[in-house]
Amino acid sequence: MKNIVFGILVVFFAFLSCRNDDDDLQKIDQILTIYMKSSSGQDLLNPNKSGSYISYTVNDVFGTTDNAPVSIPLKLSSDSLYYMEYIAGAKRITDDSLSDTRTYRSRMALALRRTVNSVTDTINDTLDIEYRWTSSVFEVSKVYYNKQLQFTKEPGGSNVVTIVK
């Protein structure tokens, strides 16, 4: 009986010694919320409003094939504004990996469709997301829309981008 209890205690303490502290875990912060509005403040992602985009598609520019669709669902906020929520799906390429901090980048092509005077118009834009990686965090650090900086990560801040078109 003593041997069984001793064996259980040895296994228990071995398990505890292999456990990692929370400080050893890498924080992942890559969910991006994208709002689009006109210069007058109209929600351009509300497909029910005249002049807004009725649909869109997203393609991974760095994808392994010419047509590499990325899913960015349209969602509705608590204050009835539409937004795109990007979690993951586009290929990330390494810009810099020579230090303890690495920089990754994704590029996506957006085709935004709207109807003006009964004619469907497609606007082609680009979305670049820059990520920062360290041993303690992987996070969105910058967002560019049509090569214009739209967002820079603030420590502890959320990843919310509002694009004015």
Side-chain angles (χ1 to χ4, degrees), residues 23-32 86-97 100-106 108 129-142 151 153-154 156-159:
D23 294 340
D24 293 341
L25 297 177
Q26 185 183 45
K27 179 182 176 193
I28 307 294
D29 184 16
Q30 68 181 27
I31 297 175
L32 185 61
Y86 176 69
I87 297 174
K91 184 176 182 178
R92 297 181 190 117
I93 60 170
T94 307
D95 280 347
D96 173 24
S97 63
D100 291 339
T101 300
R102 295 182 193 143
T103 304
Y104 293 91
R105 184 170 41 100
S106 295
M108 291 166 269
I129 304 170
E130 196 173 283
Y131 300 91
R132 183 176 72 95
W133 178 93
T134 67
S135 60
S136 61
V137 69
F138 178 79
E139 66 183 358
V140 171
S141 62
K142 293 182 182 179
F151 170 83
K153 179 75 174 185
E154 296 291 330
S158 58
N159 302 329

Side-chain angles (χ1 to χ4, degrees), residues 3-165:
N3 288 341
I4 293 173
V5 172
F6 180 75
I8 291 172
L9 287 175
V10 168
V11 170
F12 177 73
F13 286 112
F15 175 77
L16 286 179
S17 68
C18 292
R19 190 178 61 120
N20 289 334
D21 292 332
D22 286 342
D23 294 340
D24 293 341
L25 297 177
Q26 185 183 45
K27 179 182 176 193
I28 307 294
D29 184 16
Q30 68 181 27
I31 297 175
L32 185 61
T33 302
I34 305 166
Y35 292 92
M36 283 190 188
K37 66 179 185 175
S38 68
S39 57
S40 64
Q42 178 179 329
D43 179 0
L44 293 176
L45 295 175
N46 185 341
N48 303 316
K49 288 190 175 184
S50 177
S52 293
Y53 303 114
I54 56 173
S55 66
Y56 62 91
T57 57
V58 184
N59 194 49
D60 183 0
V61 173
F62 301 140
T64 54
T65 61
D66 287 341
N67 186 20
V70 176
S71 175
I72 303 181
L74 192 63
K75 298 201 169 191
L76 188 61
S77 70
S78 59
D79 52 352
S80 299
L81 294 174
Y82 285 85
Y83 65 95
M84 293 183 221
E85 183 179 71
Y86 176 69
I87 297 174
K91 184 176 182 178
R92 297 181 190 117
I93 60 170
T94 307
D95 280 347
D96 173 24
S97 63
L98 300 176
S99 65
D100 291 339
T101 300
R102 295 182 193 143
T103 304
Y104 293 91
R105 184 170 41 100
S106 295
R107 177 171 292 150
M108 291 166 269
L110 283 77
L112 305 159
R113 288 173 203 77
R114 65 179 171 190
T115 302
V116 179
N117 298 326
S118 300
V119 176
T120 300
D121 184 28
T122 301
I123 293 107
N124 294 305
D125 291 342
T126 58
L127 175 69
D128 287 280
I129 304 170
E130 196 173 283
Y131 300 91
R132 183 176 72 95
W133 178 93
T134 67
S135 60
S136 61
V137 69
F138 178 79
E139 66 183 358
V140 171
S141 62
K142 293 182 182 179
V143 176
Y144 296 84
Y145 197 80
N146 292 334
K147 299 187 180 182
Q148 299 294 312
L149 181 63
Q150 300 290 319
F151 170 83
T152 301
K153 179 75 174 185
E154 296 291 330
S158 58
N159 302 329
V160 178
V161 181
T162 300
I163 296 165
V164 179
K165 294 180 59 75

